[in-house]
Amino acid sequence: MSQMLGAFEQAVLLAILRLREDAYGRAILKEVQKRLQRNVAAGAVHATLERLAKKGLVVSRLGAGTPVRGGRARRFYRLQAKGVHALNEAREAADSLWHGLTWPLKGYLCL
Amino acid sequence: MPVTADPPRWAEALLRAFLKPDDFESVSGDLLEQYRDSIYPARGKRRADLWYVSQVFSFVSSGARLFAALFSAQFLARTTLDWFLPPADFHTRSTVSTALGAGILLVAGFWAAWRSASFAAGAIAGVLTAALASVTSIAGAAVMLAFWHGPQTLTAIRNSGGLEEVFSSPLIMLLPGLFLGASGGVVATALRRLVLVFSRSQGC
């Protein structure tokens, strides 16, 4: 099994997958915040995107800016095959860990 | 109604100094978009500016945190040795510890300036590293003192320079952090230029 994705890395990759051709920095941040139901710093998302690109899981390109951004370009991200494979592996691992247990956990005694 | 408010220019300049040149336009554009279309309308100018500064800080401090952790680790390791294995002469240990700390600040400045191609990023990284390290070093020393403050330990502390030195020396590193970070920054930007000139001459 190749190196496991962290939870936040998974959140960012899944956001890119959901957003498809609209997956640029700000949109990815909003999607991650919506799914995780908490505030996330832009720096954390940027650092994660940089790390994922270095690992070859995503690629990026600059696209057109918009007036609200002062015309500044947006960087759009796209999953690579390696990124899809990593997500599939992460899901397989999670399923294996939870196999035989019912979610949500109830009635288990903590010793 | 479209918002055309702008965040503090100095914060934007800090972001520019710290980010890789390729990243500045898209990252600053993302922050500006969020500032204008959701933060400013919901919070008003003052709180929106505070939000923007905190976001810039999250970018700027992410690299400095590792170097700050290394700096604190070497400071607390030295403090532990002074308290529990006091040497006859503190000079050698002090020299090694100072050299290590200075080296970490130089590398922090070099790394930041290399990434962003900006000498200013080196100086900022040096100060930030020293500032973050002061907080964690002082907190770490306070925790150590809370656990170990018997007569033998207090004697060792007195002999190694006293509590004033333990709690003030991290703070004294702020100004050296600026100069050492800037020095690392100068080396990094000069080296980047050399690499660029060399690769152009090779037709890369």
Side-chain angles (χ1 to χ4, degrees), chain B residues 52-132:
Chain B
Y52 190 88
V53 168
S54 73
Q55 294 296 309
V56 168
F57 186 71
S58 81
F59 280 94
V60 165
S61 69
S62 64
R65 276 181 228 144
L66 170 65
F67 294 107
L70 287 171
F71 190 100
S72 299
Q74 69 83 27
F75 174 80
L76 290 171
R78 185 296 181 59
T79 304
T80 307
L81 285 171
D82 284 352
W83 291 10
F84 299 106
L85 284 171
D89 169 25
F90 286 92
H91 178 73
T92 306
R93 196 178 276 177
S94 170
T95 305
V96 168
S97 157
T98 303
L100 259 175
I104 290 168
L105 292 170
L106 266 169
V107 171
F110 180 95
W111 172 87
W114 181 267
R115 263 174 59 95
S116 64
S118 156
F119 142 80
I124 295 164
V127 171
L128 259 179
T129 301
L132 289 171

Side-chain angles (χ1 to χ4, degrees), chain A:
Chain A
M1 191 186 288
S2 58
Q3 196 178 25
M4 287 298 298
L5 289 175
F8 197 75
E9 289 177 326
Q10 284 184 59
V12 168
L13 284 173
L14 289 167
I16 295 171
L17 191 68
R18 285 201 161 90
L19 290 166
R20 299 159 86 89
E21 59 275 2
D22 291 328
Y24 72 99
R26 166 89 206 281
I28 295 169
L29 171 70
K30 273 174 80 170
E31 179 68 19
V32 167
Q33 285 182 155
K34 178 181 147 194
R35 295 288 165 180
L36 294 181
Q37 295 180 328
R38 61 178 170 90
N39 277 331
V40 170
V45 172
H46 175 77
T48 304
L49 285 167
E50 221 178 26
R51 196 165 56 246
L52 293 171
K54 268 195 191 134
K55 287 184 188 178
L57 306 185
V58 298
V59 287
S60 69
R61 59 167 181 87
L62 281 178
T66 55
V68 73
R69 300 165 65 89
R72 294 174 202 186
R74 289 176 289 179
R75 184 170 288 281
F76 290 86
Y77 291 85
R78 188 166 50 83
L79 276 186
Q80 294 279 77
K82 218 173 152 189
V84 173
H85 180 69
L87 277 172
N88 283 331
E89 276 198 343
R91 177 59 192 246
E92 195 185 332
D95 283 347
S96 172
L97 285 169
W98 279 89
H99 181 70
L101 296 171
T102 315
W103 180 84
L105 297 172
K106 278 183 198 171
Y108 287 91
L109 289 173
C110 297
L111 298 172

